[in-house]
Amino acid sequence: MRLAVYGKGGIGKSTTSCNISVALARRGKKVLQIGCDPKHDSTFTLTGYLIPTIIDTLQEKDFHYEDIWPEDVIYKGYGGVDCVEAGGPPAGAGCGGYVVGETVKLLKELNAFDEYDVILFDVLGDVVCGGFAAPLNYADYALIVTDNGFDALFAANRIAASVREKARTHPLRLAGLIGNRTSKRDLIDKYIETVPMPVLEVLPLIEDIRVSRVKGKTLFEMTETEAALSYVCDYYLNIADQILALPEGVVPKDAADRDLFALLSDFYLNPQQPPATVDAEPDLMMV
């Protein structure tokens, strides 16, 4: 199974990806996580450091694939999750999609691409071009990480549009949304009324999720010394179980930008008021 995880930049996508990867490994699966962001920090909470990237390794070997071994690019992370960082082109030059393509090409050359039960692509947050949508070419399911905010749901809608487009030519489905660190889900619910899609999980505002990123540890690793955090891991295990159940998924019908803007703006500007209560025994009107 191949998963592509998307979401607005800074939404906690990589932290979510790492914990889902460990959850899948806890369910007995052999997992490879591929970071597809030029800042190459997707797997940081799995390894505790920034591992070398595939694109840098290829450049060092003058793109001689035959001179590269699996141990040159695949690093062992927490919980037995294997980790790869694709890297990226120099700032302002090149295409992220090219780097993803070279990464998949190399892993296939190493016979590594087909040795895993689950391969998870953690992709740069905001899909603005075909290059950043490239991992969808290899995925069975897309997952979208969002919060209950305006900007994150706009990004989610753009990602939904990318899934719809790729599904025309690839066996791709959207498994669903994951709400991350949000105290409410009313705006998420408003969005999925217009663009129907499953919601796999909504994680509440848990400060330790943010702290885990700073510590370079998954929630599962933190639980080894802080047992009280085990309930947080259950959220990720629930997501893993839903994915492993091979959901039917959806091909989303994204909303037009102007329609979505109007929908979300109206939600903020004209919040729904609770219905007025009616007295059981209203006073009689004086005539």
Side-chain angles (χ1 to χ4, degrees), residues 4 56 64 86 100 103 179-180 203 215 218-219 232 285:
D56 288 342
H64 289 176
V100 172
T103 296
N180 186 47
L203 284 81
K215 290 185 175 181
T218 64
L219 268 299
V232 187
M285 293 181 64

Side-chain angles (χ1 to χ4, degrees), residues 61-82:
K61 303 291 186 178
D62 200 24
F63 286 85
H64 289 176
Y65 290 84
E66 68 277 7
D67 293 336
I68 298 176
W69 298 90
E71 56 268 25
D72 293 329
V73 292
I74 301 175
Y75 293 80
K76 189 66 67 177
Y78 176 80
V81 177
D82 283 349

Side-chain angles (χ1 to χ4, degrees), residues 115-238:
E115 292 185 2
Y116 295 90
D117 300 309
V118 181
I119 296 176
L120 185 151
F121 294 90
D122 174 23
V123 193
L124 183 66
D126 301 294
V127 181
V128 294
C129 74
F132 295 141
L136 295 174
N137 294 333
Y138 311 104
D140 302 303
Y141 292 109
L143 307 173
I144 301 176
V145 182
T146 185
D147 61 17
N148 200 53
F150 190 96
D151 292 337
L153 286 168
F154 253 94
N157 191 63
R158 183 61 59 88
I159 297 160
S162 298
V163 173
R164 171 184 52 75
E165 189 62 30
K166 290 293 184 181
R168 297 178 189 273
T169 54
H170 296 77
L172 170 69
R173 293 294 182 270
L174 175 63
L177 285 179
I178 299 170
N180 186 47
R181 299 188 69 243
T182 180
S183 59
K184 298 189 298 183
R185 56 175 287 173
D186 50 359
L187 201 57
I188 292 174
D189 289 338
K190 189 68 175 177
Y191 172 67
I192 63 175
E193 285 178 13
T194 303
V195 184
M197 63 182 65
V199 176
L200 301 180
E201 189 60 274
V202 177
L203 284 81
L205 279 169
I206 301 171
E207 181 64 11
D208 288 292
I209 295 177
R210 186 189 65 81
V211 170
S212 71
R213 183 70 173 168
V214 178
K215 290 185 175 181
K217 295 181 179 180
T218 64
L219 268 299
F220 290 88
E221 185 173 2
M222 290 174 64
T223 301
E224 293 180 359
T225 55
E226 302 175 62
L229 293 176
S230 61
Y231 79 98
V232 187
C233 299
D234 291 339
Y235 288 103
Y236 300 110
L237 289 166
N238 179 42

Side-chain angles (χ1 to χ4, degrees), residues 263-278:
L263 174 76
L264 300 183
S265 295
D266 181 70
F267 188 85
Y268 277 119
L269 297 174
N270 300 295
Q272 300 295 314
Q273 298 296 327
T277 57
V278 179

